[in-house]
């Protein structure tokens, strides 16, 4: 079973419910540390400029960044996970509140996907996936809704099977929301893109 890196940020953490196993790695991104402490999950690494947390934690597993920097705390945490060899990454506390942070975290997911990672963002309402040049299967209850968007440019030869609205070798464009509001029909849905990236929201 592939080991997972969980990254917890300072956003909406009402959907944060993972259990850490001995093979997993947990990064607290700034204010995400408070959430982990409340859930009695010990992070392996604490990173950030700590403007959200309000203080700099003590310990040799803390990396402090300057407030004035080019990357967000979440992007720095994802880059650290990639550098450590993690290819399965899950983000919590990455939505809610400021919309600009949610968008930046979706861009961070695109970066990770383009660098070979399987990355997912989870909150209390939605699950977000970004895939690049690949095929995945997703599950949902009958009549549940999912949407598929081109991200980072045109997505070529997009196919969706076993959904209410199938697609075959379709070109999705980032300025046209054709893939909004598809529906599960009680089967496992397969989504593929031959060239490009997709944002999938369930």
């Amino acid at each position: 079973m592939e080991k997972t890196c969980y990254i917890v940020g300072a956003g909406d953490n009402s959907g944060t419910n993972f259990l850490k196993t001995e093979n997993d790695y947990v990064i607290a991104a700034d204010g995400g540390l408070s959430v982990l402490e409340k859930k009695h999950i010990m992070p392996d690494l604490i990173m950030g400029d700590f403007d959200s947390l309000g203080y700099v934690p003590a310990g040799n597993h803390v990396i402090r960044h300057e407030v004035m920097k080019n990357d967000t705390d979440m992007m720095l945490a994802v880059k650290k996970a990639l550098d450590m060899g993690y290819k399965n990454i899950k983000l919590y506390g990455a939505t809610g509140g400021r919309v600009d942070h949610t968008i930046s975290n979706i861009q961070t997911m695109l970066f990770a996907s383009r660098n070979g990672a399987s990355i997912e963002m989870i909150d209390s309402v939605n699950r977000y996936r970004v895939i690049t040049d690949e095929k995945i299967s997703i599950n949902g209850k009958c009549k549940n809704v999912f949407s598929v968007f081109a991200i980072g440019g045109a997505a070529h030869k997009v196919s969706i099977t076993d959904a209410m609205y199938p697609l075959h070798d379709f070109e999705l464009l980032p300025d046209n929301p054709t893939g909004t509001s598809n529906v599960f029909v009680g089967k496992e849905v397969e989504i593929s893109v031959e060239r490009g990236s997709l944002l999938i929201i369930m």
Side-chain angles (χ1 to χ4, degrees), residues 2-198:
E2 189 173 17
K3 56 187 181 179
T4 299
C5 181
Y6 296 95
I7 303 174
V8 180
D12 176 11
N13 272 286
S14 55
T16 302
N17 60 357
F18 68 89
L19 295 175
K20 179 184 176 184
T21 71
E22 62 180 357
N23 294 321
D24 296 331
Y25 196 82
V26 177
I27 300 176
D30 203 320
L33 176 61
S34 296
V35 178
L36 290 169
E37 289 176 338
K38 290 175 184 176
K39 293 184 175 294
H40 306 291
I41 299 173
M42 181 67 69
D44 299 285
L45 182 64
I46 304 169
M47 299 179 61
D49 54 30
F50 303 114
D51 59 344
S52 298
L53 188 62
Y55 67 93
V56 180
N60 57 10
H61 63 312
V62 177
I63 299 176
R64 184 182 184 183
H65 295 283
E66 295 296 326
V67 174
M68 296 181 67
K69 57 189 185 302
N70 291 328
D71 286 332
T72 63
D73 290 330
M74 187 64 77
M75 175 63 104
L76 289 168
V78 166
K79 285 183 174 179
K80 182 66 174 178
L82 291 170
D83 288 344
M84 295 176 66
Y86 286 92
K87 294 298 185 181
N88 191 36
I89 302 171
K90 295 186 184 295
L91 309 182
Y92 291 88
T95 64
R98 288 175 51 180
V99 175
D100 56 342
H101 277 269
T102 299
I103 293 171
S104 75
N105 289 330
I106 290 172
Q107 290 183 322
T108 297
M109 293 176 69
L110 177 60
F111 172 83
S113 177
R114 286 178 169 176
N115 282 275
S118 172
I119 188 162
E120 187 173 24
M121 184 166 70
I122 301 105
D123 60 29
S124 59
V125 179
N126 299 305
R127 301 178 78 91
Y128 309 75
R129 290 280 305 271
V130 173
I131 65 171
T132 300
D133 303 344
E134 63 178 307
K135 178 192 297 184
I136 65 165
S137 297
I138 60 173
N139 291 292
K141 294 180 180 178
C142 189
K143 298 184 180 179
N144 277 8
V145 173
F146 69 94
S147 296
V148 180
F149 303 101
I151 181 173
H156 302 276
K157 291 195 173 182
V158 176
S159 294
I160 302 173
T161 59
D162 291 325
M164 182 174 288
Y165 306 110
L167 286 178
H168 180 68
D169 287 350
F170 192 84
E171 183 177 59
L172 278 181
L173 301 175
D175 60 355
N176 191 325
T178 303
T180 307
S181 295
N182 211 325
V183 182
F184 289 98
V185 293
K187 298 179 180 179
E188 185 176 72
V189 171
E190 190 173 88
I191 301 171
S192 63
V193 53
E194 186 171 295
R195 183 163 55 89
S197 299
L198 298 175

